[in-house]
Structure formats: structure tokens, C-alpha cells
Amino acid sequence: MRTIPAALAAHLAGDVRTVCTLWLVTRTDGALIGFTDFDQDITYGGQLFRSAGGYTHSQIQSGSDLSTSNLEVDAIFDSDLITPQSLESGLWDFASVVISLVNYNDLTMGAAVLASGVLGQVTIRNGVYKTELRGLAQLMQEDFGDVYSPTCRAMFGDAQCTTDLTPLTFSGSIQSVTGATQWADATLTQTGPNASFADTVGHRIPTMFPYTVQIVPPTGGAFVATGTVKDSSGAVYSQGTPGPGVFSVSPTGLYTFDITAAGGEIFIDFSYQIGYFAYGKVVFTSGQNAGFEMDVKAFAPGHVTLAMAMPYPLAVGDTYTIVAGCDKLFGTCRDRWNNVIHFRGEPYIPGQDVILRPQG
């Protein structure tokens, strides 16, 4: 049931109404920001509500049957607080919103709360953004609690994981930029543990000289040593001077074969060094991206690759902090972090392939 102050209710019952809406937005980073559809800024309850006349909103739909309340807002980018970069970076995701109605000619009449909820999906097109406000009943439609999963459900370093991230966090500055998601910093010399890679996909040897195959280790790791090399028929190759059934390999993982293997399929097992910061996180502390963060896709000593491009271009001199990551696998938790007692997954529970396969 909506409560309306008596003075405001009397004003709404009159023939002439001087009302506007106030939008109080609380972002997940704690920032408290107010907007109003009035043509002037309004200060109410000690909070400044900035005039943002460049938006329209739909009717508020709500019911008494616990169905989700919906409201859509269309607006142009006319505020320095809401930019395409801030929306794309997730700064406004899941922000809580309270919409109130006031008499702008007499704020002492109080406010009537029209709706509240959290911001949902945001779409951007041609300088206009659209967002939806999801009512509190939306929470009733979400699943809560843990589910079975082969990988760990804890966030690396949180209260469930308990791993101390302090000694795994480092600071630096960008020394050179390669593309939108890669940069170099020679001070990042950290190396991760070694791991084995079993090739189940295979590689096709070129039909023309040079008959080479370049190995690309996962997570931007570094090639360490070769393992078993065999063709599609299961014949195992030996290491030496390239010839029939013989290959050579460079320290960077470049495999060389001879013409007798041209066009054939080859399976290469090898060991590699895990990227120390792979699956970790970067938080920028200066430059245009200051305050924004991004996941690390891959890492090799001195070279960082992000999962996605930052809202603003990377620039030489931008400073950052970077923390090591975890791929949430049972073996990584046990062997690398020695934290298997806090592993939040079920790696040995049979999957659907076991349940559905023919029995007997």
C-alpha cells in the first residue's frame, strides 16, 4: 500500500498540480546520485537531484500478485554522470532506484514513493540508451542457493575461498600498448607453475614448406617441453632431425616436420607454464580508465591480455593493480593454491553424458 502525505494528497486532488518525479540512484560502488524530470535542479532531503529533461519513461506497471513490476526509461547522453563508457563498463549495473513524486512548488508537502527496484538490462544505440527498472518482486523469480558444479563456485579470495590475495597483488604501469586489449610491462616477471596439455583436437601440417606447427599454450602461458607426438593413426614420432617419423621443436614451441608428414594430422602433448595472472583482475588507478576493472584473459611474463577492451583506450603511463587468478578447477586449487579444503565444487559427480549413455 502506497503512503501519501496528507498535504501532498490534497494537492493531487486539486485542479492544478505542480508535480515532478525524483529518481534516487544508489550504485553498487556506494555513489548516491539524484535526477529529476523537472527543468531545474531540486534539493530535497539534503540530496541534490539534477535536472535531466532528456529522458522519457513508460507507465509503471505493478500488481498485488507478486508479478514483476516493470518500467522502461529512454534517454539521451546529456549528463556528465551517465556516459556510454560508464554504462558499458557495468558501473550502473544492479544500481537500486527509488522514484518519488513531489510538489516542486512546495517541497514541504513531502514525497510519495511511486516505485523502487534495481536497474536491469541496458541497451545503447545512436546516442540513446534504454534501461529497465525491475521491481523487488523480481527477486522472487531468481534461484538462490548453491547448485552442483564441477568447478568451484567461490570467488577467488572471498570469504568462502579464504585465499589471501595481498601477496598475489602487484602494481605497475603500462610501458607499451598492442591493440585494444594487450599491453606490456617488463616489471611483471611473475611465473606460474607448470601444467600438462593433452591434445585432443590435433593440428594439420602444412602441405608446403616450411612444414611447421606453432604451439600456443593456454592462458598465455609459456611453452616448457614437448611430450608425446603422434599422428592420426597413433604412430608416435621421435625428436631429432626432421625426417620420416621425426620432428624437431624450438624453445618457443615451434614444431618442424619434413615433407613426408605434409598435409597430415598430428597430435602434440606438451607441458607449459601457467600464466601467473590468467583469470585474475586488473584495476586501473590512473588515466581515463581510472576506477574501472577488467578480467585478465591471458598472461606471459611482461605481457597482459584482457578479456575485453576497456571503456577508454589503453595509454602508456596508465597505472594499475593486478591480482593473480584461478581457473576454479579442482587440480588448480589442490596443486597451486593448496586450498582444496575450501574447494566449492563437485568434480567427481557424474554428468549427463554418464547418465544418458547406454547401460550394461
Side-chain angles (χ1 to χ4, degrees), residues 13-89:
D15 295 330
V16 179
R17 304 176 185 87
T18 53
V19 295
C20 65
T21 57
L22 305 180
W23 293 58
L24 184 61
V25 182
T26 306
R27 296 193 316 214
T28 55
D29 62 355
L32 201 63
I33 303 170
F35 299 98
T36 178
D37 56 2
F38 191 47
D39 59 2
Q40 300 178 23
D41 293 349
I42 293 178
T43 300
Y44 179 79
Q47 173 67 43
L48 173 64
F49 292 85
R50 298 190 180 192
S51 175
Y55 76 87
T56 58
H57 60 80
S58 66
Q59 296 294 322
I60 301 174
Q61 300 177 359
S62 60
S64 59
D65 57 354
L66 291 181
S67 59
T68 303
S69 301
N70 292 304
L71 183 149
E72 286 190 347
V73 180
D74 294 84
I76 60 175
F77 291 104
D78 65 345
S79 171
D80 57 348
L81 295 175
I82 304 178
T83 62
Q85 292 80 9
S86 65
L87 288 174
E88 291 175 349
S89 67

Side-chain angles (χ1 to χ4, degrees), residues 151-336:
T151 56
C152 184
R153 296 181 297 276
M155 298 297 294
F156 189 51
D158 67 6
Q160 289 185 318
C161 172
T162 73
T163 300
D164 184 8
L165 299 183
T166 302
L168 307 177
T169 305
F170 301 86
S171 300
S173 62
I174 296 178
Q175 297 179 352
S176 63
V177 177
T178 305
T181 60
Q182 297 178 322
W183 82 81
D185 182 359
T187 64
L188 296 179
T189 59
Q190 295 80 2
T191 56
N194 292 343
S196 298
F197 180 85
D199 186 6
T200 59
V201 177
H203 302 267
R204 184 68 63 179
I205 300 175
T207 57
M208 299 181 63
F209 181 84
Y211 312 106
T212 58
V213 173
Q214 176 63 58
I215 289 300
V216 180
T219 69
F223 176 81
V224 175
T226 186
T228 302
V229 178
K230 58 185 177 181
D231 61 20
S232 56
S233 65
V236 178
Y237 280 54
S238 60
Q239 185 174 355
T241 302
V246 183
F247 70 92
S248 66
V249 60
S250 72
T252 60
L254 180 66
Y255 285 75
T256 302
F257 303 86
D258 79 338
I259 192 171
T260 60
E265 188 177 31
I266 203 76
F267 294 85
I268 302 174
D269 296 343
F270 59 92
S271 61
Y272 67 98
Q273 195 172 69
I274 296 175
Y276 187 89
F277 295 106
Y279 305 108
K281 193 177 295 292
V282 170
V283 179
F284 287 90
T285 54
S286 71
Q288 288 184 301
N289 291 307
F292 292 139
E293 62 181 38
M294 182 56 65
D295 295 332
V296 178
K297 178 182 178 181
F299 174 79
H303 298 274
V304 178
T305 303
L306 300 179
M308 297 178 62
M310 297 300 297
Y312 298 95
L314 301 172
V316 174
D318 287 354
T319 59
Y320 62 85
T321 59
I322 185 170
V323 61
C326 180
D327 58 10
K328 299 181 180 293
L329 297 179
F330 180 79
T332 302
C333 185
R334 177 192 59 201
D335 301 332
R336 183 178 183 185

